[in-house]
């Protein structure tokens, strides 16, 4: 059998109940179950998490950095999406 | 966009304090330098497990043994973070490991010295991890995102390594005269290698300017060394030990210590492979890889079997 380093899995850890899982790094593993075990040993040795997700690296699609400007541009000219866009007189409450 | 324009954008980004991410455009020299640094750093973490691993079975009590195990396990984790950071630049971990095992790749000179007594475990945590922290807190400000994030993570874990080492030294220094002598002997043997592991003076090296501009390097080796010495000498004095440098003096004017001459010939000999333990470290590393092979094969076979069972079910 070929001695390989196995596929790469991206690791996401949830630090506390109620907060999102956050990307922390990756591990090599032959399957998801062992990826989760490796991730526990590598990324949660000091109670950093209560839940782990692993995702095969090659299953992740990403936006491309070259297009960053144009890709996110549509939101730049829409300040009216923010509450501070609107002028409300000082006397008005709870708005 | 042609290279020249991309280079301008790349340097502007770094100057603005932004991180470079794996898929961003980068000069070939930057990519190469980072792969070299990250893989050497990763190799140092896992080769560094060997001299300390040597004492796990002989730790003086259960508390020390559990601590040393946890420390050595951390170093394995550091190796993993760094190999994975290197992989973001398109190199394969198997390839990096084979460079290590065939003697093509370098790792930190410090791990080619032997651990002769229990006090050496204290000296390593205190001095070697201490010097590494000085270097790594600087690297955490580097421009390459994955490397810098790995450094932040590693620095958080290193502080325990440093403190447990100092605690070992302090305990020995406050013990019997024999124990204190053992601590002093370990300090005598590890001091200069620790001072040297931060690397030779690099102010005059030709690509220093570029590496500084690209925030691959952020401070000179000498500046980092000075900080290490300034912090460590008083720590030695506090526990009644003396660094083995008769020229070590505090300079009131500069507020820094001045040290005696460093034997760089020794450093370059160790780098070239002629240190006391180079051959042993390489042999042990290759052996560890060979011995771990059946575990990797078993895990692969188990994963295949599980997948088949899921298919049937
Ligand atoms: Fe480390
Ligand atoms: Fe360490």
């Amino acid at each position: 059998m070929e001695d390989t380093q196995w596929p790469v899995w991206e690791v996401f850890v949830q630090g506390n109940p109620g907060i999102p899982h956050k990307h922390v790094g990756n591990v090599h593993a032959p399957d998801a179950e062992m990826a989760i075990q490796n991730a526990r040993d590598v990324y949660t040795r000091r109670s950093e998490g209560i839940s782990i997700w692993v995702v095969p690296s090659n299953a992740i699609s990403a936006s491309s950095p070259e297009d960053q400007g144009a890709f996110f541009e549509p939101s730049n000219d829409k300040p009216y999406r923010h509450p501070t866009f609107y002028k409300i007189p000082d006397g008005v409450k709870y708005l | 966009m042609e290279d020249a324009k991309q280079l301008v954008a790349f340097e502007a980004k770094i100057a603005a304090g932004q991180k470079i991410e794996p898929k961003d455009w980068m000069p070939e020299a930057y990519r190469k330098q980072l792969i070299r640094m990250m893989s050497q750093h990763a190799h140092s973490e896992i080769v560094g497990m060997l001299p300390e691993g040597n004492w796990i079975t002989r730790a003086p009590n259960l508390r020390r043994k559990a601590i040393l195990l946890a420390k050595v396990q951390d170093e394995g984790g550091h190796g993993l973070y760094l190999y994975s950071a290197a992989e973001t630049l398109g190199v394969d971990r198997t390839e990096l490991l084979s460079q290590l095992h065939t003697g093509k790749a370098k790792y930190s000179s410090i791990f080619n010295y032997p651990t002769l007594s229990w006090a050496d475990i204290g000296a390593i945590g205190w001095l070697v991890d201490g010097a590494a922290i000085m270097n790594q807190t600087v690297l955490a400000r580097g421009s390459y995102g994955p490397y810098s994030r790995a450094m932040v993570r590693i620095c958080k874990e290193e502080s325990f390594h440093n403190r447990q080492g100092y605690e070992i030294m302090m305990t020995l220094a406050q013990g019997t005269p024999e124990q204190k002598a053992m601590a002093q002997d370990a300090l005598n043997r590890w001091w200069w290698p620790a001072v040297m592991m931060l690397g030779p003076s690099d102010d005059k090296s030709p690509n220093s300017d570029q590496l500084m501009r690209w925030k691959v390097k952020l401070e000179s080796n000498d500046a980092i060394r000075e900080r290490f010495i300034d912090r460590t000498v008083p720590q030695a004095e506090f526990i009644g030990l003396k660094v083995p440098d008769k020229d070590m003096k505090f300079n009131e004017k500069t507020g820094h210590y001045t040290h005696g001459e460093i034997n760089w010939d020794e450093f370059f000999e160790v780098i070239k492979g002629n240190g006391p333990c180079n051959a042993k470290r390489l042999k042990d590393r290759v052996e560890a890889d060979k011995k771990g092979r059946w575990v990797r094969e078993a895990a692969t076979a188990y994963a295949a079997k599980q997948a088949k069972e899921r298919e049937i079910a």
Side-chain angles (χ1 to χ4, degrees):
Chain A
M1 200 192 307
E2 250 249 80
D3 191 12
T4 82
Q5 296 285 336
W6 303 319
V8 177
W9 302 74
E10 297 302 326
V11 179
F12 299 81
V13 169
Q14 184 184 31
N16 283 299
I19 64 172
H21 286 68
K22 197 176 151 201
H23 183 244
V24 292
N26 59 40
V27 291
H28 288 250
D31 67 7
E33 188 192 340
M34 280 184 259
I36 290 173
Q37 281 171 8
N38 289 351
R40 177 204 56 195
D41 293 343
V42 176
Y43 294 106
T44 62
R45 286 198 301 278
R46 290 175 176 79
S47 325
E48 290 97 333
I50 56 157
S51 162
I52 294 175
W53 291 349
V54 293
V55 181
S57 268
N58 58 19
I60 292 179
S61 308
S63 62
S64 83
E66 292 97 74
D67 303 341
Q68 187 191 330
F71 190 72
F72 294 103
E73 205 274 327
S75 83
N76 291 344
D77 59 354
K78 296 176 183 63
Y80 46 83
R81 283 175 171 168
H82 298 278
T84 46
F85 181 76
Y86 304 92
K87 290 193 178 45
I88 306 291
D90 279 350
V92 183
K93 284 180 182 167
Y94 308 119
L95 202 66
Chain B
M1 237 197 307
E2 71 273 24
D3 276 13
K5 254 188 174 168
Q6 280 176 314
L7 182 64
V8 172
F10 168 85
E11 293 194 341
K13 206 167 170 183
I14 292 175
Q18 284 174 37
K19 301 286 180 198
I20 303 300
E21 296 299 335
K23 290 193 171 133
D24 293 346
W25 183 91
M26 62 187 81
E28 203 40 41
Y30 179 85
R31 178 191 300 274
K32 276 211 186 110
Q33 176 70 13
L34 272 158
I35 292 176
R36 205 177 61 90
M37 279 174 74
M38 291 190 285
S39 58
Q40 282 184 10
H41 199 157
H43 298 331
S44 303
E45 300 286 351
I46 64 167
V47 175
M49 296 167 80
L50 299 170
E52 290 182 292
N54 181 33
W55 279 90
I56 290 175
T57 55
R58 292 176 288 157
N61 57 48
L62 197 53
R63 176 177 178 271
R64 294 288 184 206
K65 184 174 181 163
I67 291 170
L68 185 56
L69 259 174
K71 195 233 183 225
V72 172
Q73 191 192 8
D74 272 357
E75 305 301 2
H78 296 175
L80 192 136
Y81 308 153
L82 287 159
Y83 284 121
S84 108
E87 281 180 313
T88 61
L89 290 179
V91 283
D92 187 68
R93 191 170 74 178
T94 318
E95 167 60 21
L96 296 176
L97 284 168
S98 97
Q99 287 171 4
L100 172 64
H101 295 154
T102 53
K104 259 202 283 173
K106 300 242 178 295
Y107 55 86
S108 178
S109 57
I110 194 85
F111 300 118
N112 292 313
Y113 291 87
T115 40
L116 303 177
S117 80
W118 170 251
D120 289 27
I121 299 307
I124 289 181
W126 174 34
L127 303 173
V128 177
D129 290 81
I133 291 171
M134 291 300 117
N135 194 33
Q136 290 171 163
T137 38
V138 174
L139 288 171
R141 290 187 277 121
S143 61
Y144 188 56
Y147 193 23
S148 140
R149 291 190 285 273
M151 284 300 111
V152 170
R153 211 188 151 77
I154 287 175
C155 285
K156 275 192 208 153
E157 302 187 347
E158 286 294 351
S159 152
F160 130 63
H161 300 179
N162 192 218
R163 291 175 71 130
Q164 63 86 34
Y166 189 67
E167 194 199 65
I168 290 173
M169 292 301 262
M170 187 168 63
T171 308
L172 289 170
Q174 291 165 351
T176 64
E178 288 82 2
Q179 287 171 325
K180 183 166 183 184
M182 198 164 115
Q184 182 62 54
D185 170 63
L187 173 56
N188 291 349
R189 284 180 291 106
W190 287 93
W191 175 254
W192 287 108
V195 164
M196 285 190 266
M197 76 178 261
L198 294 164
S201 301
D202 50 0
D203 298 328
K204 283 161 207 90
S205 113
N207 37 18
S208 242
D209 283 352
Q210 190 184 59
L211 294 180
M212 288 270 187
R213 194 167 66 246
W214 289 350
K215 293 190 187 161
V216 169
K217 225 180 149 55
L218 293 106
E219 281 186 64
S220 74
N221 294 345
D222 285 334
I224 299 172
R225 182 168 19 253
E226 180 172 78
R227 192 172 312 133
F228 168 68
I229 291 175
D230 284 350
R231 293 183 185 192
T232 310
V233 173
Q235 292 170 355
E237 281 166 5
F238 191 88
I239 54 176
L241 299 178
K242 209 174 162 340
V243 300
D245 179 353
K246 59 177 175 24
D247 299 319
M248 182 69 70
K249 261 202 312 280
F250 187 72
N251 183 330
E252 298 282 353
K253 253 189 250 145
T254 61
H256 297 292
Y257 283 88
T258 48
H259 57 80
E261 217 177 306
I262 298 172
N263 182 0
W264 290 115
D265 291 344
E266 175 183 325
F267 177 80
F268 289 114
E269 277 305 304
V270 176
I271 290 281
K272 260 193 277 170
N274 303 325
C277 297
N278 294 60
K280 172 155 176 52
R281 298 292 181 243
L282 206 60
K283 184 176 145 278
D284 287 352
R285 227 354 274 168
V286 170
E287 193 91 325
D289 190 62
K290 237 195 257 158
K291 279 188 184 154
R293 183 169 177 155
W294 75 266
V295 180
R296 295 192 289 277
E297 285 175 357
T300 306
Y302 178 75
K305 191 177 149 210
Q306 294 289 105
K308 211 182 217 162
E309 271 168 21
R310 268 196 303 275
E311 235 170 71
I312 295 165

